[in-house]
Amino acid sequence: QVQLVESGGGSVQTGGSLTLSCAASGYAINAVCMGWFRPAPGEEREGVAGIDRNGRTVYGDSVKGRFTISKDMVKNTLNLQMNSLKPEDTAMYYCAADFCPPRLDLALFSRSLRAWGQGTQVTVSS
């Protein structure tokens, strides 16, 4: 049974850092594409970061240069290092995984990835 469990959320001040983790079970993460997403005003969700089977990454414009997505093959875990956090980063963060769609594209990932975790809350105060 495929399962994703997020952790690492919390409350920080502006400029602080957090590392989110998504522990996967039921498959090896090196065989799938994975991503981090959060709700966004006016849309179902915003793609934060994605990573494919080869380790290539893609980021949403609002987090480029601040967030880093990575896979830990030993722990079978997806990570998201979040630096220089801003109040607008406050959200519930969800990880997702599935067989890779044709392109490394966050909008396509959002529509294609079928396994989702329950989310972890990040709150950034000013």
Side-chain angles (χ1 to χ4, degrees), residues 26-45:
Y27 57 85
I29 63 171
N30 61 353
V32 297
C33 282
M34 302 185 76
W36 288 97
F37 301 85
R38 63 190 184 190
E43 42 183 315
E44 183 176 357
R45 50 182 163 250

Side-chain angles (χ1 to χ4, degrees), residues 73-100:
M73 305 304 186
V74 174
K75 296 181 179 179
N76 212 45
T77 298
L78 178 73
N79 296 315
L80 184 68
Q81 176 66 44
M82 309 165 68
N83 297 327
S84 302
L85 283 162
K86 305 175 181 179
E88 50 264 43
D89 294 318
T90 294
M92 185 75 80
Y93 284 73
Y94 299 89
C95 72
D98 208 333
F99 294 114
C100 291

